[in-house]
Amino acid sequence: MKQTFTWKQKLRQLLSVMLPVLITQISLSAMNFFDTTMSGHASRQDLAGVAIGSNLWLPVYTGLTGVLLAVMPMVAQLHGARRPQDMAAVVVQGLYLAGMLAVVTTAAGWLVLPAALQAMGLEAEVQRIAFAFLGAISLGMAPLFAGSVLRCFIDALGYTRITMLVTLGALPINIALNYALIFGHFGFPKLGGVGAGYASAVTYWLILLAAFWVVHRLPPFCRYGIFDKWQAPSPAMWKEQLRLGLPLGTAIFCETSIFGVVAVFMAAFGTLTIAAHQAAINFAGLVYMLPLSMSMALTIVVGFEVGAGRWRDARQYAVLGVAVALVAALFCALGLWAGNEQVAALYTKDESVLQLTREFLLYAAFFQLSDAVAAPIQGILRGYKEVIVPFMVALVSYWGLALPVGMVLSNTSWGPFGYWVGFIVGLAAGAVALALRLRHVQRLKANSAL
């Protein structure tokens, strides 16, 4: 990261940070995709068990890594303020916190999961696979969370290409391990869908080892001396990280979990509707990687400028980020509007499912525009260490507005599309509220600089 002086320089630096983040996010999503699809070639029960396990794991994973995301704005601001000597404490205490979260989450999972899966009324074999799959993934939970902390440190310094290369390198390893453990090749036991869980756990350990090597041995990261001396656990610093991280993680959990809840409610409309809804929401999630990556990039660049006290530059990055995300969303929405049949055909050959998926995709085109505003602004506010109001906005817009509106409209002529209208209403309201909050924060910072 370096100081920029023109709009062109800012755009170049923003894109150089954002594009590797986008590739990293797509690679991480691809691991889950290959877990599910490769398990499906083992058996129907393996596919169902891994799909259920993944759907239970995803909100927990995204929420808890969201808590650890607090490391990113903290390091970015220290970088901008030219206080590298304080970074080691932030990273090391983040690693302690990651270990504690992993232990608590694993223990809670072993206690709660059997009853939760039993309550879902699954086939005995599907229930066994889902539980064993999650148990296998839990072996990699600690390195997954620790690796997230190290990735936040590397990214916050602006070297997002490094984490991109690490993640891209891990993807083929994950696929090879899936092939070996799911189907029993290369002398490994045939574990079915459970093998995908072990493959993910091993991959998380490898990613952590690679990130540790980068931070400890590779310039310029080794100059920060993250692991040069022992640091005792600091509850005071945990409190600071949790003050930022808990609202972040809870806001992300509110967002990811509501889609799971709506998927359950879609069951009332039959298998055809469930299939079409899942296909459309899967593609919408893929497109969301773009505003999500811009959000993370904006946290880095805005945090850097805020740490340096350059409020005008932080505001300019905010304008650029939202503008780029909006333009990209407009192109995606127009492309989806014109090519929804081709997109739907990627998911199914069944004519009934295809036609219904096309209709859902038209609604997805609309809420992409709200995502293109809301997600980048969330990242900008994180750069200012502003997390409480975004959490409240997420809670109200998703659970207080989107879901109730969807439930009401689903009982009218809108049917299952009512839930998608609810998404659009909730996301639009959230985007407006976040924009107003950002304007208020920027005014406060500008006035404080006078």
Side-chain angles (χ1 to χ4, degrees):
M1 289 290 297
K2 60 183 180 180
Q3 184 179 359
T4 53
F5 302 94
T6 66
W7 286 93
K8 185 177 180 180
Q9 289 175 342
K10 284 181 171 58
L11 179 60
R12 186 182 295 116
Q13 179 153 274
L14 178 62
L15 292 178
S16 71
V17 172
M18 187 273 290
L19 291 175
V21 173
L22 175 61
I23 296 172
T24 299
Q25 292 302 314
I26 292 173
S27 299
L28 290 171
S29 297
M31 289 185 191
N32 182 64
F33 170 80
F34 283 111
D35 282 352
T36 304
T37 55
M38 293 178 76
S39 297
H41 287 282
S43 74
R44 176 182 64 82
Q45 289 82 3
D46 286 290
L47 173 61
V50 172
I52 289 167
S54 296
N55 285 332
L56 290 173
W57 167 237
L58 182 62
V60 175
Y61 158 66
T62 55
L64 291 176
T65 51
V67 172
L68 300 170
L69 196 62
V71 171
M72 186 178 288
M74 293 175 73
V75 172
Q77 288 198 12
L78 289 172
H79 185 40
R82 300 183 184 277
R83 292 166 51 193
Q85 69 278 6
D86 295 331
M87 292 183 188
V90 173
V91 176
V92 171
Q93 297 306 322
L95 292 172
Y96 282 132
L97 189 59
M100 183 179 68
L101 288 176
V103 170
V104 172
T105 306
T106 302
W110 285 104
L111 290 173
V112 173
L113 273 175
L117 291 170
Q118 185 70 35
M120 295 175 70
L122 304 170
E123 294 179 22
E125 180 63 6
V126 172
Q127 181 178 327
R128 182 195 69 79
I129 292 170
F131 183 76
F133 170 78
L134 290 170
I137 277 191
S138 71
L139 298 175
M141 195 177 300
L144 174 64
F145 291 167
S148 296
V149 172
L150 295 181
R151 191 173 76 222
C152 284
F153 167 65
I154 296 169
D155 286 352
L157 297 177
Y159 295 95
T160 53
R161 188 174 298 180
I162 298 294
T163 55
M164 176 194 75
L165 292 174
V166 169
T167 311
L168 277 177
L171 181 58
I173 294 174
N174 178 255
I175 295 172
L177 288 171
N178 273 345
Y179 182 71
L181 294 171
I182 293 175
F183 304 110
H185 295 295
F186 311 125
F188 287 92
K190 183 178 180 180
L191 302 176
V194 179
Y198 286 111
S200 294
V202 172
T203 304
Y204 297 152
W205 278 104
L206 294 174
I207 290 175
L208 173 63
L209 291 174
F212 177 83
W213 180 82
V214 166
V215 171
H216 189 53
R217 303 290 296 180
L218 194 68
F221 311 104
C222 58
R223 294 201 300 264
Y224 294 93
I226 301 300
F227 303 114
D228 284 357
K229 61 181 181 179
W230 162 258
Q231 294 190 40
S234 172
M237 188 160 285
W238 293 357
K239 183 178 179 181
E240 168 66 11
Q241 293 193 6
L242 288 172
R243 184 185 68 81
L244 293 174
L246 283 177
L248 279 174
T250 308
I252 294 171
F253 179 80
C254 286
E255 181 177 349
T256 55
S257 59
I258 193 172
F259 291 103
V261 170
V262 169
V264 173
F265 289 163
M266 283 288 175
F269 297 98
T271 303
L272 173 66
T273 302
I274 294 173
H277 167 80
Q278 284 299 113
I281 209 71
N282 179 268
F283 184 79
L286 180 63
V287 175
Y288 179 66
M289 293 298 163
L290 183 57
L292 175 63
S293 301
M294 178 59 76
S295 174
M296 297 177 72
L298 285 167
T299 297
I300 295 166
V301 296
V302 171
F304 176 72
E305 300 296 348
V306 168
R310 294 189 291 264
W311 311 114
R312 179 172 174 270
D313 294 271
R315 183 190 291 265
Q316 288 176 344
Y317 271 120
V319 171
L320 273 176
V322 174
V324 170
L326 261 178
V327 170
L330 281 170
F331 276 107
C332 288
L334 290 173
L336 192 54
W337 189 271
N340 57 81
E341 182 175 0
Q342 289 76 14
V343 173
L346 296 174
Y347 290 89
T348 182
K349 294 180 180 179
D350 185 293
E351 187 63 29
S352 298
V353 177
L354 189 146
Q355 291 302 321
L356 193 56
T357 302
R358 290 182 62 189
E359 295 184 57
F360 279 124
L361 287 171
L362 294 178
Y363 290 90
F366 283 101
F367 77 65
Q368 280 178 40
L369 300 177
S370 296
D371 271 337
V373 175
I377 292 178
Q378 287 172 336
I380 295 164
L381 289 170
R382 282 198 297 269
Y384 284 99
K385 292 186 179 178
E386 172 71 25
V387 293
I388 299 299
V389 171
F391 154 65
M392 295 172 63
V393 168
L395 184 63
V396 173
S397 61
Y398 282 107
W399 290 92
L401 191 58
L403 187 60
V405 168
M407 293 177 70
V408 170
L409 292 180
S410 69
N411 291 310
T412 67
S413 59
W414 287 98
F417 302 110
Y419 287 109
W420 286 68
V421 175
F423 288 151
I424 294 169
V425 171
L427 283 167
V432 171
L434 288 169
L436 292 174
R437 182 59 183 177
L438 176 59
R439 184 181 178 187
H440 176 70
V441 169
Q442 289 176 331
R443 282 182 173 177
L444 285 178
K445 297 300 183 182
N447 291 336
S448 67
L450 296 176

